[in-house]
Amino acid sequence: PQNGPEHPRPFEDDTGDPGATRQAIHHAIWINTKMSQAGMMNHAPWHARSGQILLKRFQLNRPLGQGGMGEVWLAHDQDLDLDIAIKLLHPELAASPAQVEFLKNECRLARRLNHPHIVKIFDFHHEGPTVFISMAWVDGPSYDDWQKERERSWNDRLRPLVPAAHALAYVHRQNLVHRDVKAGNILIDRAGQP
C-alpha cells in the first residue's frame, strides 16, 4: 500500500525497516496476550509505589492509570522542579528487548509531533529493569470521566472532541496512526480543552 494521508504507515523505526518493526509489534502482542491469559494485566502495581524515586530524579506521586503495557504515574522531576507524567513499562515487558525497543520507538515517533492538543513527550528512560517515557502532565480527567462528572448537553460533549479530531488529523498528516484512540485516552485540562 501507498504511504500518505490516505494510507498512513504504521509505526516504523528510524531505519525505515517495517519488517523489524512488524516483528517487534508481533512479539509485543504475543507477550501482552500471554500476560493477559495469565491474569497479569489486572494486578495492582508491581513495584512502583508513591514516594519512590526513579533514576535518582523522578519521584512517583500517584498512579494516574493502568493499561496493558504498564502504568502511568504523576511524578515530580526533581531536577527541573516540574510535575510530569511517566508511562512506566511493566517489569515483565521491560525484560523483553523487543518491548523496550517498541516503547523507545513510540517515544521517538511521538516526540516528532508538535500540536497544542497532543501531550508533549519529553524523553525515553531505561536503566536496568526500569523503563519509561516522561511526558507533560495534563491536570484533568479523561474525556470518559469528564463527560460522566455531571449532566452535559450534546454541544458541551462535542466541544472538546473537535480539537481532539484536529489533533488526530494532524497525526495522520504525519503518516502515523494512533492505535488506541478512545475516550479514556483523551485528556481534558482544567480549562476544558483536550
Side-chain angles (χ1 to χ4, degrees):
Q2 292 180 319
N3 288 331
E6 300 83 28
H7 302 280
R9 71 177 187 264
F11 284 132
E12 186 174 280
D13 63 25
D14 281 348
T15 66
D17 180 4
T21 303
R22 239 188 329 272
Q23 182 180 9
I25 290 169
H26 285 287
H27 185 71
I29 292 169
W30 179 81
I31 288 175
N32 286 342
T33 302
K34 292 297 180 189
M35 289 178 67
S36 181
Q37 289 170 346
M40 295 171 68
M41 298 303 220
N42 300 321
H43 286 209
W46 52 89
H47 71 287
R49 65 188 184 286
S50 294
Q52 182 179 356
I53 297 177
L54 303 178
L55 309 182
K56 300 178 182 175
R57 176 176 175 182
F58 304 99
Q59 183 173 8
L60 299 179
N61 291 335
R62 62 181 165 87
L64 299 173
Q66 185 170 351
M69 291 188 69
E71 291 183 334
V72 177
W73 279 75
L74 172 63
H76 188 74
D77 182 336
Q78 296 178 330
D79 286 356
L80 300 178
D81 193 23
L82 178 70
D83 285 335
I84 63 168
I86 64 168
K87 181 177 183 177
L88 185 61
L89 193 61
H90 191 288
E92 296 289 327
L93 298 177
S96 163
Q99 288 284 351
V100 172
E101 189 59 32
F102 183 79
L103 189 66
K104 182 190 284 185
N105 197 45
E106 177 184 317
C107 178
R108 188 180 296 128
L109 293 168
R111 280 180 50 110
R112 295 178 186 165
L113 301 175
N114 183 16
H115 191 277
H117 299 290
I118 295 177
V119 173
K120 178 74 177 153
I121 303 297
F122 297 139
D123 211 347
F124 173 81
H125 308 270
H126 181 191
E127 185 175 289
T130 304
V131 181
F132 63 94
I133 293 175
S134 57
M135 64 190 86
W137 171 52
V138 177
D139 183 14
S142 69
Y143 177 79
D144 193 35
D145 291 338
W146 175 83
Q147 68 176 341
K148 293 174 185 174
E149 284 176 351
R150 62 181 172 84
E151 192 69 32
R152 296 185 190 276
S153 70
W154 278 107
N155 281 342
D156 285 346
R157 288 178 184 220
L158 291 175
R159 192 169 292 115
L161 294 180
V162 172
H166 287 294
L168 192 56
Y170 165 79
V171 169
H172 289 177
R173 285 192 305 276
Q174 307 310 305
N175 295 325
L176 297 173
V177 176
H178 188 302
R179 295 181 177 215
D180 198 20
V181 178
K182 59 186 178 185
N185 285 345
I186 298 173
L187 303 175
I188 308 296
D189 66 19
R190 294 299 173 200
Q193 292 295 312

